[in-house]
Amino acid sequence: MSGLIAIARNEVRIGMRNKWIMLATAILLVFALLLVLLGSGPATSSSTDGLTIISASLATLSVYLVPLIALLLSFDAIAGEIDRGTLQLTLASPVSRAAVVLGKFLGHVIVLSIAVMIGYGLAGLCAFVAIENVAAEGVLDLARVVGTSIALGATFVAIGYVASACVRQTGTAAALAIAIWLFAVVLYDMALLGGLLADPEGVFATDLFPYLLVANPADAFRLFNLTALDAAGASTGFAAGGDVLPFAPQLAIASPFIWIAVTLWLTVVMMQRIKP
Amino acid sequence: MTSLLNISNVSMCFAHRDVLSDVSFDVAPGERAALLGHNGAGKTTLFRIILGFLNPSAGQITVNGAVPGTAAARNAVSYLPESVSFPKLLTGRETVAFYAKLKGVAPAAVDQVLADVDLTDAADQRCGTYSKGMRQRLGLAQAMLGDPKLLLLDEPTSGLDPLARQRFYHLISKMAERGTAVLLSSHGLSEIEARTDRVAILRKGKLVADAPLTDLQHSANLPLRIRVQADTAHVDTVHQQMGGQRINGATVELECRYPEKMQRLSAISALGPAVRDVEVYPPSLDDIYRHYSAGKETKQ
C-alpha cells in the first residue's frame, strides 16, 4: 500500500510539472471562460438558470478536451517507462505490479481532477459573479459536470494504459493515443450518424444504436449529462432522443465506470506478463 | 560461507537461439564479482533472470535463498540497469526519495546516499539538467539505498570519467565491506582493473572463466613481450641472435613465456654494449580478456 501511494505521489508531482498538461489545462480554462462569457449574455435571461446553460456547454467541451488530457497523462505510463529503464527499477523493488498500475491510476486521476477543477471551477466562479440569481440547482449542475468529467477522464487514463502496455516505444504509444482519441471522440460519432442516416427506421437505428451509443464512454457521458440538464430546463435538443432509449438515460453513466474496471483489470493482467 | 546468489546450470533460449547455456556460479556476501563479456554475450539476460523478469529455460537461481522475483528476493536485491533515464521533471533528491519509499527505506538514508555519490550540491536540480556521469551516479545512489544484500550493476562504469570510476569502485568496496554481495557487468577487464575479487567471463552464453584475476592471468599463460632497443649499427646482429621482430630502425620485439623470461634477459645482457635499453611488458588486462572472450576454450 505504501508503494502504491509513493507511485501515486510521484505521478502527481510529474504531472503537475508537465508542460503539456499545463497547456491543456490552460486551453480548458480559456474555452470554459469563453463559454461563460457567451452564455451569460442577455439572450439567456430566461427562466433557466445561467449556470445550468453554461454546464451544458461545458459538458460538450469535456467530451473533446478531457479525454485528450487523460491520454496525454497516460500514454507514456508503461511503454515510456520501459523505454527509459525506470520500470525495470520499479519492478526490481518489492512493490507489486498491480500496485504500480493502481498507483499510477490514482496519481493520474488526481492530476486530471486538479486540471478539470481549475478549468471549470474558475469558469463557474466567473459565471457565479457575472450572473445574478444563481440557483442551487445551477451549482449542482456544474458539480455534476465536473464530477462526471473526472470519471470520463479516468476512463481514458485507463484506456491509455492498455495502449501503453501493448507497445514498447514511447512514440508508438503516442500515435496510438492520438488514434484512440480521434476514434472515440470524432470518428465513432460520425459512423453512428452515418448508420442512422442510411436507414432511419432499420434494426441499426432502433435496436443497436442506443447500445452502441453508450458503449462509447464519451457518448455515454454526453447522454447522461445532457439528459440531466434537459430535466433542469436547458434545451439541448437531446431529450427528444432520450424518449426512445430502451433504458433510463441516467444508467448511461455506468458505461465509463465499467470501462474503468475492465481496462484497469486488463492493464494489470498485461503488466503481470511484461518482461522488462 | 554460504553464497548469497547461487546460479546453477542456468540456460536460456530465445527463439531457438541459446543466449545462456549451462551457466553456474555463486557470489558470496561481501564478495565483489565481475561478469564480463561482449555485447550480446548474455550478461543482461542473466541479470533479468536474477531479477525474476525472465524465467530460465533450465536451471535454478536463488537470491538470499529465495526464488528470483519473489518478495523475499526483491527485498534483498538492488539493481542498476545499463541505461536508465530518470524523469526529467523530478529533482535528484525526489527521484532517490521515491525509490527509498518503494524499497521501504527510511527517508534519512536519501541524503546519505546522495552525499556518497557526490550529488548533494545538485540534489535539488531537475534530472533533466544532469550530465551522463551525474545520471549514472544518481542511479548508483538509488541502488545503494538501504544496504542491499545483493547489488546488481549492469555496466555501471560506462560513461564515467576515470576519477568518477575510481570513486565508484571505492563506494562498491565500502558496501562489500559491510557484507553486500556485488555483481557488476562490464565490457572488458581494463574497465574493472584490479578492483573485483573474482572475474567471470561469458562468451556466447557460456561461462569460459570464473576465478580471481591473478589466477586468470596465470592460467591464460600469455607471452610477455620484451622490447630491445639496440644500437643502430648493431640492430641486425641483435635481430639475428635473438630472433623476434624488427619494429623500427633500432628496436627488436621478442615474445616469451614467463618461465623463459630470465633466461632471455640474461641472453640480452650478454650482448653487451649493442643493447641500449630493455623493456618488459607483461600481458595487459585487455590481452587476457581477449584471450578468454575471443580465444579457444581454456581448461582450468
Side-chain angles (χ1 to χ4, degrees):
Chain A
M1 194 62 196
S2 69
L4 192 154
I5 289 166
I7 288 167
R9 283 186 55 172
N10 206 44
E11 292 298 343
V12 170
R13 205 170 256 158
I14 295 170
M16 302 293 281
R17 292 177 193 173
N18 185 330
K19 287 199 186 73
W20 291 106
I21 304 301
M22 286 185 204
L23 184 68
T25 309
I27 291 171
L28 194 70
L29 177 61
V30 168
F31 272 97
L33 285 175
L34 276 175
L35 290 174
V36 168
L37 288 177
L38 296 173
S40 59
T44 58
S45 54
S46 59
S47 58
T48 314
D49 192 273
L51 262 184
T52 305
I53 291 174
I54 288 161
S55 298
S57 313
L58 292 180
T60 307
L61 182 64
S62 276
V63 170
Y64 293 97
L65 280 183
V66 171
L68 193 65
I69 299 176
L71 289 168
L72 270 179
L73 278 166
S74 65
F75 80 90
D76 208 22
I78 295 164
E81 286 227 27
I82 294 177
D83 224 11
R84 291 190 295 271
T86 43
L87 192 70
Q88 288 88 314
L89 274 181
T90 304
L91 296 184
S93 78
V95 65
S96 81
R97 293 188 177 200
V100 174
V101 174
L102 297 178
K104 278 177 174 289
F105 182 70
L106 182 63
H108 285 149
V109 171
I110 289 171
V111 174
L112 184 97
S113 307
I114 293 170
V116 170
M117 285 195 275
I118 287 175
Y120 291 179
L122 285 179
L125 203 68
C126 290
F128 196 80
V129 174
I131 301 167
E132 291 152 34
N133 308 323
V134 170
E137 286 78 21
V139 177
L140 196 71
D141 285 334
L142 184 66
R144 191 192 312 109
V145 169
V146 169
T148 51
S149 291
I150 293 169
L152 176 69
T155 311
F156 279 89
V157 166
I159 291 173
Y161 292 158
V162 175
S164 197
C166 285
V167 298
R168 280 186 91 97
Q169 268 93 34
T170 306
T172 327
L176 203 53
I178 289 171
I180 289 170
W181 180 80
L182 203 65
F183 175 76
V185 173
V186 183
L187 299 179
Y188 193 86
D189 287 4
M190 286 176 145
L192 285 192
L193 197 63
L196 278 185
L197 290 175
D199 187 7
E201 306 297 324
V203 181
F204 176 81
T206 53
D207 295 342
L208 280 177
F209 174 75
Y211 294 103
L212 286 175
L213 191 68
V214 291
N216 182 341
D219 286 328
F221 164 87
R222 188 162 23 202
L223 177 64
F224 173 79
N225 271 296
L226 297 188
T227 309
L229 292 168
D230 269 340
S235 178
T236 59
F238 223 80
D243 294 337
V244 297
L245 289 174
F247 45 79
Q250 285 79 8
L251 288 177
I253 199 61
S255 166
F257 288 98
I258 293 169
W259 270 96
I260 291 172
V262 171
T263 44
L264 271 188
W265 171 79
L266 197 61
T267 309
V268 171
V269 169
M270 291 169 93
M271 189 73 159
Q272 305 286 1
R273 292 182 187 174
I274 279 176
K275 294 171 175 161
Chain B
M1 196 155 38
T2 53
S3 61
L4 198 105
L5 172 67
N6 177 274
I7 300 169
S8 59
N9 309 107
V10 165
S11 297
M12 187 74 205
C13 185
F14 281 133
H16 305 295
R17 200 171 65 87
D18 286 329
V19 179
L20 292 171
S21 36
D22 205 25
V23 171
S24 301
F25 70 92
D26 296 333
V27 186
E31 189 177 32
R32 300 164 300 170
L35 184 65
L36 303 187
H38 294 322
N39 283 327
K43 298 176 309 238
T44 302
T45 304
L46 187 60
F47 277 10
R48 289 169 75 199
I49 296 172
I50 296 170
L51 288 163
F53 295 163
L54 294 176
N55 284 320
S57 315
Q60 269 105 44
I61 288 184
T62 59
V63 176
N64 200 22
V67 176
T70 57
R74 283 190 286 169
N75 272 315
V77 182
S78 241
Y79 174 51
L80 176 60
E82 182 182 348
S83 61
V84 54
S85 48
F86 294 107
K88 289 188 175 66
L89 298 173
L90 296 181
T91 67
R93 193 191 306 280
E94 284 166 346
T95 303
V96 177
F98 168 63
Y99 290 106
K101 283 224 189 67
L102 288 189
K103 293 175 191 203
V105 173
V110 173
D111 286 335
Q112 181 58 50
V113 292
L114 283 169
D116 283 344
V117 297
D118 260 344
L119 278 179
T120 305
D121 291 339
D124 293 313
Q125 286 172 27
R126 293 194 179 176
C127 297
T129 67
Y130 279 20
S131 68
K132 173 121 176 33
M134 287 163 89
R135 288 201 298 268
Q136 197 68 17
R137 281 187 280 153
L138 187 65
L140 183 64
Q142 68 77 31
M144 287 168 62
L145 280 166
D147 278 330
K149 287 200 167 72
L150 174 64
L151 197 52
L152 276 185
L153 310 164
D154 200 354
E155 306 204 1
T157 52
S158 64
L160 293 186
D161 58 65
L163 255 175
R165 193 186 295 173
Q166 221 165 12
R167 201 174 152 76
F168 164 82
Y169 278 107
H170 177 69
L171 287 171
I172 297 296
S173 301
K174 262 183 23 190
M175 291 191 71
E177 276 165 30
R178 288 190 297 238
T180 297
V182 182
L183 178 61
L184 61 92
S185 74
S186 184
H187 274 311
L189 268 178
S190 53
E191 281 257 320
I192 61 163
E193 297 169 40
R195 279 175 279 217
T196 50
D197 303 311
R198 206 150 53 85
V199 176
I201 300 177
L202 272 178
R203 172 152 55 86
K204 291 179 184 162
K206 289 195 182 74
L207 202 64
V208 291
D210 176 19
L213 187 57
T214 46
D215 291 8
L216 287 186
Q217 272 168 324
H218 199 250
S219 65
N221 195 22
L222 292 178
L224 319 140
R225 283 176 301 136
I226 302 173
R227 221 170 247 196
V228 184
Q229 214 184 355
D231 231 340
T232 352
H234 297 97
V235 64
D236 284 327
T237 330
V238 172
H239 185 217
Q240 273 160 23
Q241 292 197 4
M242 302 302 301
Q245 237 184 330
R246 287 274 303 270
I247 293 187
N248 53 35
T251 312
V252 177
E253 194 179 87
L254 314 166
E255 282 196 350
C256 82
R257 300 283 160 184
Y258 190 79
E260 307 156 9
K261 177 179 154 194
M262 290 317 291
Q263 197 192 329
R264 296 290 267 176
L265 283 177
S266 45
I268 291 165
S269 60
L271 292 171
V275 175
R276 296 229 308 251
D277 197 9
V278 175
E279 278 171 300
V280 179
Y281 298 97
S284 73
L285 293 170
D286 278 330
D287 293 336
I288 295 165
Y289 173 60
R290 206 173 299 126
H291 171 78
Y292 284 103
S293 65
K296 297 183 285 290
E297 295 283 340
T298 45
K299 290 173 187 72
Q300 299 228 16

